[in-house]
Amino acid sequence: MSVAFRRDSDEEHLEPKFELPLPPGPNLVTARGLAQMGAKVEALNAAIEAEADETARAVLKRELRYWSTRQTTAIVAPLPDLEEVAFGTRVTLRLNGVKRVIELVGSDEAEPVSGRIPFTAPLAAAMIGAGVGEVLDFGGKPDAIEIVAIGRPEEESRA
């Protein structure tokens, strides 16, 4: 007997909807990152209340479960001492001779285009623990990174 004749609906052939994957390791965040998570949870709750379509609500609820989990497991990292590159620092560096400024942040608040990279990124991992003036190997190249300055992100400097 053909599948077309025995199937009640197309629901059984839809792709399963898995939960959004959580990044591995501790959920370190900055104070700004924790605030962003809270805002995201509030916005999703409001969107769920306003959404009439059940399919769209299911998608929003899935996203809300992700952000609620991230918010409840968040560990706000203490402010670094600025003696060495660490989570929460703003680093001025030369990468292959090009000067860049980046911030080391949590996985969920990373925006590489804005200069915020996750502390788990290979570039961040190569710099963590280094001090001003140190020259580091990166990507198989010797002396690829030079740490020029270490400071606090602008938002935390004003607080």
Side-chain angles (χ1 to χ4, degrees):
M1 181 188 230
S2 170
V3 171
F5 293 111
R6 71 169 178 80
R7 193 171 59 201
D8 291 332
S9 73
D10 287 334
E11 292 295 312
E12 69 182 278
H13 292 286
L14 292 177
E15 289 279 331
K17 300 291 187 227
F18 298 106
E19 292 299 313
L20 296 171
L22 297 172
N27 185 13
L28 291 177
V29 298
T30 63
R32 178 187 63 226
L34 186 61
Q36 287 174 340
M37 285 179 186
K40 188 75 171 175
V41 167
E42 285 180 27
L44 285 166
N45 276 320
I48 290 168
E49 289 295 318
E51 184 59 60
D53 180 56
E54 209 43 52
T55 304
R57 282 175 62 98
V59 170
L60 290 169
K61 285 180 179 181
R62 176 179 178 232
E63 193 172 344
L64 177 62
R65 285 191 300 274
Y66 173 86
W67 286 107
S68 294
T69 299
R70 296 301 282 170
Q71 186 180 33
T72 58
T73 61
I75 303 165
V76 179
L79 291 176
D81 63 12
L82 307 182
E83 295 295 316
E84 60 186 30
V85 176
F87 181 90
T89 55
R90 182 181 184 94
V91 183
T92 304
L93 64 133
R94 278 195 186 78
L95 178 60
N96 297 320
V98 178
K99 193 172 183 180
R100 296 180 59 190
V101 178
I102 60 171
E103 294 176 23
L104 304 186
V105 297
S107 299
D108 293 315
E109 61 184 307
E111 293 178 23
V113 173
S114 300
R116 288 190 286 278
I117 64 170
F119 71 101
T120 55
L123 178 59
M127 295 187 306
I128 289 177
V132 173
E134 284 193 49
V135 179
L136 310 165
D137 298 344
F138 180 66
K141 296 181 183 177
D143 303 336
I145 303 170
E146 177 188 359
I147 307 298
V148 176
I150 301 170
R152 296 203 194 290
E154 290 179 13
E155 291 84 14
E156 294 175 0
S157 299
R158 289 182 246 148

